[in-house]
Amino acid sequence: MAPPLSRRSLLQAAALAAATPAISHQATGRAAAAVEAPQAAAAAAPPSWTVQPFALDDVALRPGLFADKRQLMIDHARGYDVNRLLQVFRANAGLSTGGAVAPGGWEGLDGEANGNLRGHYTGHFLTMLSQAYAGTGEQVFVDRIRTMVGALTEVREALRKDPAVLSVGGKFGTAAENVRGSYQYVDLPAAVLGGASAVTLSAWVKPTHDGNWARVFDFGDNTTRYMYLAARNAGGVPRFAITTSGPGGEQGLNGTAALPLNQWSHLAVTIADGTGTLYVNGTAVARNTAMTLTPAALGTVANNWLGRSNFSTDPVFAGAYDEFNVWSRALTAAEITELQNNRASAASAGRGNLASYAFDETSGGRFADASGRGLTATLRRTWGGPSHPGFLAAYPETQFIDLESRTTSDYTKVWAPYYTAHKILRGVLDAYLATDDARALDLASGMCDWMYSRLSKLPEATLQRMWGLFSSGEFGGIVEAVCDLHTITGKAEHLALARLFDLDRLIDNCAANTDILDGLHANQHIPIFTGYLRLYDATGEQRYLDAARNFWGMVVPHRMYGIGGTSTGEFWKARDVIAGTISATNAETCCAYNMLKLSRTLFFHEQQPKYMDYYERALFNQVLGSKQDKADAEKPLVTYFIGLTPGHVRDYTPKQGTTCCEGTGMESATKYQDSVYFKAADGSALYVNLYSPSRLAWAEKGVTVTQSTAFPREQGTTLTIGGGSAAFALRLRVPSWATAGFRVTVNGSAVSGTPKPGSYFTVSRTWRSGDTVRISMPFRLRVEKAIDDPSLQTLFYGPVNLVGRNSSTSYLQLGLYRNAGLSGDLLPSLTPVTGKPLHYTLAGTEFAPFFEGTEDPTHAYFRRSEPRVIFGNTDSGVANPAKSDGTTLLDEIWAGAPFTGKGALVSRVRSTVNAWVTAGRLSQADGQTVVRTAEQATYAP
């Protein structure tokens, strides 16, 4: 184990990175042989992992539950237009979007918080495509990855340069388009208005968005002295205004109708002799005869803009410009009418004598002035440009800059920019690992170089404040992604960058096993710990491992719902409060996704079965159940929250789609096979963690392992060895719920030993092709009780959470002891539904697996009610008494299960009744009735 490195020493080491082979920012192909060796290192697991995963393409899903669920997502991945995902990136760079429409929701400018999270979904999609390719080998996924990587490379190149005109068809010839989301405007020289006391301003515009207050032009110094023409005011009509005393002193002109979108409109304003007139398409629509202000009153102003406002919160004009002219006189109505069908140069007015731009340029970022005054205009971005050539995002760098001085969270201004950066980084890194496309690696490395260039300059206190902010400071799993990249590039800056995301308060408290999770945003913090585990791998610093291990134990089971999910309305509440947090916004699906990643990574370090027990629980229930069993070309159909309130109906299209959970849902559905099998680092053992139809190709051993099962509809599985022969230990997970037995045969012969629930059962031998291992693990029906309210329970059959389908919005009152088996199995109290495996009825309600992605109203939790003492469906007529803590007589009796026979059960009944009679909780007569009923009843096994 390497000695721990301090952040300071890592930063110092980064300064020596010149000795490390670097990756060029230019995508010139895999020119450097030095890149090849680190790539091989990326395939090797860290030395600290005593168990290692197999690559996705080593494990093939076979027909069954997981393959069916995956197919729905694979079809979505195959058919969705990736240009829609790229739209926000291209727009941000001022490139043509080809008419593509952004997905909407969180992925676009019109969604929540002005689309301040845009770009994240593209990263998820790239990861999904990479996993889909690994799982299927279909070339279509490679083609789509390369299309996206190529586009992102073009975007980054455009962002590195000054903006260039996007030339489109105009009213008369060519026009200059400002793509919505480009933050571009035309900057005119300060002399453009010339101090005129009379003026005409004329422009052809084609707006493409109906945002209020976007400026056609704005000339001014600030929000006090200005003159503007807005395409739409608050009432949706054009407005001209001039003032030297702020909004309250505006002298204005308002249009009478909205400008049509995606059509050319001519706007003109004249001011002379105290009269101002606004023309739309040659018609005077407003006149003000009391205008005392002219450009002369403004003087020479600092900001002379087409498309940008002096008010920073106003949107940039989205649309195209053709023919902008300024004259130092008021054109007549006839002259303005003549401009409707002619270029200014061909009209009697002629070109503007103060400024005249035809926008005939088809390249570059400069616009010629034809007025004769030489006032060349320049295309600019409102935010200037990136601080580093590696910057890549679907919005300006301003969110990252703002975060550095922000002390409070406001997601309408800064919404988790490093979280979004993580998703993009992870996506391009996965694209590289899947396709070996050097451009993707160049993008990933450049992003980390850019982040390091920003964050390494910040004081430690600033970093701690940033990462502690909800939700502006959320950075997702970026530490894990950066560490993974470091294994490829070997650049010291990249490891140093990962350390810059240390949130010391969280790490130190969790390392000390001090629970501070109450009130924290759940998914902001879960993925952090997978990253810290990777930092432990890279640095050997023990606190990272201790913190991750202890953190996991603070969530499982103390903040875990039966399905494996956690959080309420995205946040954690107090430890051990489950019933008290049931709501319509439980179990954010991202949380389950990230808890699975954390569980498997912890298992690589220490093979505690509880991690894989949890993995099975969350995977077979919440993750599978979060995906609707329905095909859709436009949406992945994945839940955001899974409400656990009675009668909740799952919403598979939350917030118009494209939420974080739909992103992770796409990933989950294309990597179901990632934890079915693990191997010991020394090759001595194969871990079978999950029972799922699949085929493993273990190249190092020269064998295959084929798992045949309909699990969980089948209560067991069969493993068949293929290929050559190899010696290794087969370690079979014995689920903690497998209390009815776990039996193993090899080639038909029973394997000796007593498998213990919640452990791994080992079969060691030299395996030969054709060897068959059969595992039988009978299910039992059981309940799990809410920690803070034992009467609130959820039903499990083996690994499967069974939920009631009932439209009632009150908790169902259910009893389960009436026909419990001698084994303690509660299943005999339910009635199987013919032809529907894992479906049962109880008290008129159908119970079905949570993993079925339907829109039925469901009851994940019910209220346990055992009003009378009943054995074997024989009712004693005696009320079931309870202690002050809620424990009933029947609870104490059945706590003794399993029973070897009826006599053992009756003996338990007799001793329990005697104790309750002695304690005064049950009368002598009622006690005798209870014992007699137990003696007379007939029981299921």
Side-chain angles (χ1 to χ4, degrees), residues 216-509:
V216 174
F217 60 75
D218 196 336
F219 303 100
D221 289 319
N222 45 42
T223 57
T224 300
R225 300 173 61 81
Y226 54 79
M227 180 179 76
Y228 71 76
L229 174 61
R232 293 171 61 92
N233 65 3
V237 298
R239 174 175 171 78
F240 169 83
I242 184 170
T243 182
T244 57
S245 56
E250 288 186 356
Q251 297 176 10
L253 299 161
N254 290 322
T256 56
L259 299 182
L261 296 182
N262 302 306
Q263 295 182 32
W264 286 104
S265 295
H266 183 258
L267 298 172
V269 177
T270 64
I271 304 176
D273 302 322
T275 297
T277 307
L278 172 64
Y279 295 86
V280 177
N281 293 323
T283 301
V285 297
R287 180 168 286 112
N288 184 342
T289 59
M291 294 190 73
T292 60
L293 297 175
T294 68
L298 295 178
T300 301
V301 294
N303 305 322
N304 300 274
W305 296 332
L306 302 184
R308 181 178 179 182
S309 170
N310 275 288
F311 289 79
S312 61
T313 57
D314 289 338
V316 176
F317 178 80
Y321 282 90
D322 198 355
E323 290 264 317
F324 179 74
N325 286 278
V326 185
W327 292 269
S328 60
R329 66 183 179 89
L331 268 61
T332 66
E335 287 177 311
I336 289 175
T337 299
E338 190 180 357
L339 292 174
Q340 306 309 296
N341 298 305
N342 298 279
R343 282 183 176 267
S345 60
S348 59
R351 293 186 184 275
N353 66 312
L354 292 180
S356 180
Y357 304 96
F359 299 107
D360 288 332
E361 292 81 2
T362 58
S363 63
R366 310 271 283 179
F367 301 103
D369 169 33
S371 71
R373 300 177 70 206
L375 301 180
T376 302
T378 304
L379 188 64
R380 302 191 190 279
R381 300 186 187 97
T382 61
W383 56 284
S387 64
H388 186 281
F391 175 76
L392 177 64
Y395 48 67
E397 198 172 357
T398 49
Q399 282 203 53
F400 299 92
I401 297 168
D402 188 333
L403 177 61
E404 292 170 7
S405 60
R406 179 164 290 279
T407 57
T408 58
S409 190
D410 180 352
Y411 81 142
T412 65
K413 294 181 173 63
V414 179
W415 189 4
Y418 284 96
Y419 171 92
T420 310
H422 162 242
K423 297 304 176 187
I424 299 168
L425 172 63
R426 184 77 259 176
V428 294
L429 182 56
D430 287 340
Y432 168 69
L433 295 172
T435 67
D436 201 35
D437 189 329
R439 297 173 303 171
L441 180 58
D442 191 49
L443 290 172
S445 186
M447 286 187 72
C448 289
D449 292 345
W450 155 68
M451 285 187 278
Y452 178 75
S453 74
R454 289 209 70 87
L455 296 177
S456 63
K457 295 179 175 66
L458 298 179
E460 179 73 15
T462 299
L463 293 171
Q464 296 300 322
R465 172 178 47 76
M466 285 166 56
W467 307 144
L469 278 178
F470 163 79
S471 60
S472 299
E474 181 174 357
F475 54 80
I478 201 166
V479 177
E480 177 192 21
V482 174
C483 287
D484 287 351
L485 177 68
H486 173 255
T487 65
I488 302 171
T489 67
K491 293 180 70 172
E493 296 100 330
H494 293 165
L495 182 57
L497 171 64
R499 291 292 294 269
L500 291 173
F501 289 95
D502 279 6
L503 181 52
D504 289 337
R505 177 176 178 267
L506 183 68
I507 297 171
D508 293 342
N509 277 283

Side-chain angles (χ1 to χ4, degrees), residues 747-913:
N747 299 329
S749 299
V751 177
S752 62
T754 305
K756 179 183 177 182
S759 70
Y760 277 82
F761 183 70
T762 301
V763 183
S764 296
R765 60 183 282 151
T766 297
W767 300 94
R768 292 178 172 79
S769 184
D771 283 349
T772 301
V773 180
R774 174 63 191 166
I775 304 165
S776 174
M777 52 188 118
F779 295 179
R780 281 180 176 165
L781 189 73
R782 69 186 192 282
V783 295
E784 290 188 0
K785 303 174 182 179
I787 298 172
D788 52 330
D789 182 356
S791 72
L792 196 68
Q793 303 180 358
T794 186
L795 206 58
F796 277 85
Y797 188 48
V800 179
N801 185 222
L802 297 178
V803 294
R805 292 180 176 172
N806 191 306
S807 60
S808 172
T809 55
S810 298
Y811 284 116
L812 302 176
Q813 306 280 325
L814 299 174
L816 293 165
Y817 287 137
R818 62 180 304 114
N819 196 30
L822 293 172
S823 64
D825 190 353
L826 302 173
L827 186 64
S829 292
L830 279 63
T831 303
V833 177
T834 303
K836 298 174 71 175
L838 299 177
H839 284 242
Y840 302 89
T841 58
L842 176 64
T845 293
E846 182 175 357
F847 281 78
F850 190 97
F851 63 67
E852 293 184 354
T854 72
E855 293 178 292
D856 295 297
T858 60
H859 290 246
Y861 282 89
F862 62 91
R863 188 70 67 186
R864 187 67 174 271
S865 177
E866 305 280 357
R868 293 190 309 281
V869 177
I870 303 174
F871 295 107
N873 283 326
T874 302
D875 192 340
S876 70
V878 175
N880 183 24
K883 295 180 179 179
S884 59
D885 65 358
T887 303
T888 70
L889 175 68
L890 284 174
D891 290 333
E892 281 208 357
I893 291 171
W894 286 104
F899 301 107
T900 56
K902 178 177 178 179
L905 169 60
V906 172
S907 177
R908 173 76 176 191
V909 171
R910 188 175 292 111
S911 62
T912 305
V913 163

Side-chain angles (χ1 to χ4, degrees), residues 53-54 121-122 154 160 182 189 194-195 197 206 251 262 305 334 341 410 425 487 515 610 733 735 786 853 867:
F54 288 93
Y121 203 67
T122 299
E154 292 172 2
R160 292 174 175 178
S182 69
S197 58
K206 183 169 72 171
Q251 297 176 10
N262 302 306
W305 296 332
N341 298 305
D410 180 352
L425 172 63
T487 65
D515 189 332
K610 65 181 181 180
R733 187 177 65 87

